[in-house]
């Protein structure tokens, strides 16, 4: 996959053919992340900027569909000086589901919703990776995959 910088994403109009190709490139990270998670634990993912702008698109079958409000709130929380207080008070709202905040592990936030699965959120230099673990699977398998993709993006300045 070609890596596209955030600045390159913003210099095209949202209706241009080039933007469509850029989004498809970001959508490849969904497949990469899901493929890295052991035991098919991860079933959906999304990437977005620290400002809450979606990098991946709804046309990918495994994209987590979030409202702009959900993205903005997650972005704000991940940029907060006190992540624990931010998410502990209202939970993590993602894809129309409220996940109970479990804990913050450095730049990673973990949440769970009974019968809905678990959510892993990792902050990179300029973005946020969000991955869903299906109910009954191990969130740790998803976490390892998220950490791997995050490490690559961070090493690339993203």
């Amino acid at each position: 996959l070609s890596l596209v910088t955030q600045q390159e994403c913003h210099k095209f109009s949202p209706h241009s053919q080039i933007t469509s190709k850029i989004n498809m490139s970001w959508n490849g990270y969904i497949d990469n992340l899901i493929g890295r998670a052991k035991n098919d634990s991860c079933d959906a993912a999304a990437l977005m900027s620290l400002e809450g702008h979606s990098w991946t698109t709804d046309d990918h079958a495994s994209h987590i569909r979030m409202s702009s409000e959900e993205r903005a709130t997650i972005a704000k929380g991940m940029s907060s000086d006190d992540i624990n207080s931010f998410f502990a008070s209202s939970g993590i709202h993602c894809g129309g589901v409220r996940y109970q905040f479990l804990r913050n592990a450095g730049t990673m936030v973990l949440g769970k919703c009974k019968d809905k699965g678990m959510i892993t959120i990792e902050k990179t230099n300029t973005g946020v990776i969000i991955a869903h673990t299906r109910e009954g699977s191990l969130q740790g398998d998803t976490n390892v995959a998220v950490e791997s993709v995050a490490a690559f993006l961070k090493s690339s300045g993203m």
Side-chain angles (χ1 to χ4, degrees):
L1 292 173
S2 62
L3 185 63
V4 178
T5 66
Q6 185 178 9
Q7 292 81 17
E8 289 173 313
C9 283
H10 292 295
K11 70 182 179 182
F12 303 108
S13 78
H15 302 292
S16 73
Q17 184 177 20
I18 294 173
T19 300
S20 175
K21 289 181 183 177
I22 290 170
N23 286 336
M24 289 180 66
S25 181
W26 281 113
N27 282 351
Y29 284 94
I30 295 172
D31 296 322
N32 187 295
L33 198 152
I34 290 172
R36 287 177 181 272
K38 291 182 181 177
N39 304 314
D40 294 324
S41 60
C42 180
D43 61 356
L47 283 82
M48 65 182 193
S49 72
L50 286 174
E51 294 78 32
H53 303 290
S54 187
W55 288 346
T56 51
T57 62
D58 289 346
D59 61 346
H60 191 290
S62 297
H63 178 258
I64 299 173
R65 285 149 183 80
M66 293 179 282
S67 69
S68 58
E69 181 179 279
E70 288 174 328
R71 287 193 311 272
T73 301
I74 289 171
K76 182 177 178 182
M78 295 305 289
S79 298
S80 171
D81 291 334
D82 189 359
I83 292 174
N84 290 334
S85 293
F86 187 91
F87 288 115
S89 62
S90 61
I92 304 164
H93 295 264
C94 182
V97 176
R98 182 188 180 276
Y99 294 87
Q100 177 186 354
F101 171 75
L102 297 176
R103 71 181 177 280
N104 166 22
T107 57
M108 182 178 282
V109 169
L110 305 174
K112 168 137 181 68
C113 181
K114 185 174 168 75
D115 298 327
K116 299 285 185 180
M118 295 149 285
I119 201 85
T120 302
I121 306 172
E122 174 85 17
K123 180 181 173 183
T124 67
N125 300 337
T126 61
V128 178
I129 301 168
I130 304 165
H132 180 265
T133 302
R134 68 180 81 244
E135 183 68 25
S137 293
L138 296 175
Q139 188 172 26
D141 291 338
T142 299
N143 298 350
V144 169
V146 169
E147 287 174 335
S148 176
V149 173
F152 172 77
L153 290 174
K154 288 175 185 177
S155 73
S156 302
M158 296 299 294

